[in-house]
Amino acid sequence: MRQDSNHSRVPDIRVVRSLEEFPPGINVAGLAKFLHHALKPFEDSLEDIERGIMDCLTAKGRRGGFLLIARSRRKPVAALVMQRTGMQGYVPENLLLFVAVAPEQRNRGLGRLLVERAVQEARGDIKLHVEYDNPARRLYERLGFTSKYAEMRYVK
Ligand SMILES: CC(C)(COP(=O)(O)OP(=O)(O)OC[C@H]1O[C@@H](n2cnc3c(N)ncnc32)[C@H](O)[C@@H]1OP(=O)(O)O)[C@@H](O)C(=O)NCCC(=O)NCCS
């Protein structure tokens, strides 16, 4: 933790661009478990979250993905996963796959801080999926994300 100018406690935010850069005490499985819990009720399966983290850091030919991990006492209190899509123009270069703040740390501006930092760190445009009824939608809109298209899927 560090003190900000208002003397409130602000968790450190670590940018992780490879498996070697994980902060001490946190690994892929631990981060996936944290996200699986903190994303509720909008969580993906643990397996998909792990796959997303691995893809973000190790996908061949799509370098530039990263994680943001905010820690307090060596434990994650918030995290964000940004993948490279490998595309450009008609599809944005980056996909903000997950962002979550531990329930007891919410409504203090940490979610906003992470998304703002992610926008700074990412090269190129960013897309994300958010449920229509997820309150996070308002946060994204306030930070400048717009919604021009409805996402449609054909599920096989
Ligand atoms: C979405 C999420 C990441 C937001 O994190 P957060 O740290 O609570 O976000 P912020 O504090 O930056 O902003 C949230 C609200 O608190 C308010 N807020 C921000 N700073 C504040 C402060 N210092 N004091 C009081 N309120 C504050 C914001 O105005 C915002 O209000 P509103 O959205 O109700 O209008 C978090 O709620 C979460 O983890 N949700 C579950 C997972 C999820 O849905 N993730 C997104 C889908 S992938």
Side-chain angles (χ1 to χ4, degrees):
M1 292 277 214
R2 66 181 168 80
Q3 304 282 310
D4 71 7
S5 52
N6 297 321
H7 303 292
S8 59
R9 289 163 81 75
V10 179
D12 292 320
I13 297 178
R14 176 79 69 100
V15 185
V16 174
R17 296 184 185 279
S18 69
L19 290 171
E20 293 72 39
E21 289 176 24
F22 267 86
I26 303 178
N27 58 18
V28 174
L31 185 65
K33 210 168 148 198
F34 167 78
L35 281 168
H36 188 249
H37 174 68
L39 283 164
K40 284 183 195 304
F42 301 102
E43 82 276 18
D44 291 83
S45 71
L46 198 54
E47 192 187 33
D48 278 352
I49 294 173
E50 272 203 39
R51 211 194 331 250
I53 296 169
M54 287 303 288
D55 182 276
C56 151
L57 298 178
T58 65
K60 291 219 163 47
R62 288 191 283 119
R63 294 178 66 84
F66 60 87
L67 314 173
L68 297 180
I69 304 177
R71 288 174 305 153
S72 174
R73 296 189 177 86
R74 294 166 63 100
K75 294 220 172 347
V77 291
L80 181 150
V81 179
M82 185 76 86
Q83 285 185 338
R84 279 309 267 185
T85 62
M87 288 181 255
Q88 196 173 13
Y90 52 91
V91 172
E93 290 92 326
N94 303 282
L95 169 63
L96 197 169
L97 187 61
F98 306 121
V99 56
V101 173
E104 67 280 6
Q105 297 273 350
R106 289 185 191 159
N107 294 325
R108 298 176 185 176
L110 192 46
R112 183 188 187 101
L113 213 62
L114 277 195
V115 178
E116 283 176 342
R117 179 73 184 271
V119 169
Q120 266 174 29
E121 295 287 338
R123 273 183 295 108
D125 295 348
I126 301 166
K127 68 171 178 161
L128 58 81
H129 303 147
V130 60
E131 298 77 6
Y132 287 109
D133 61 342
N134 188 335
R137 195 172 156 195
R138 286 203 306 277
L139 174 66
Y140 299 138
E141 284 171 350
R142 279 200 304 277
L143 292 175
F145 285 80
T146 56
S147 174
K148 191 165 149 201
Y149 309 102
E151 192 200 53
M152 297 177 76
R153 291 184 184 189
Y154 187 93
V155 179
K156 287 194 183 179

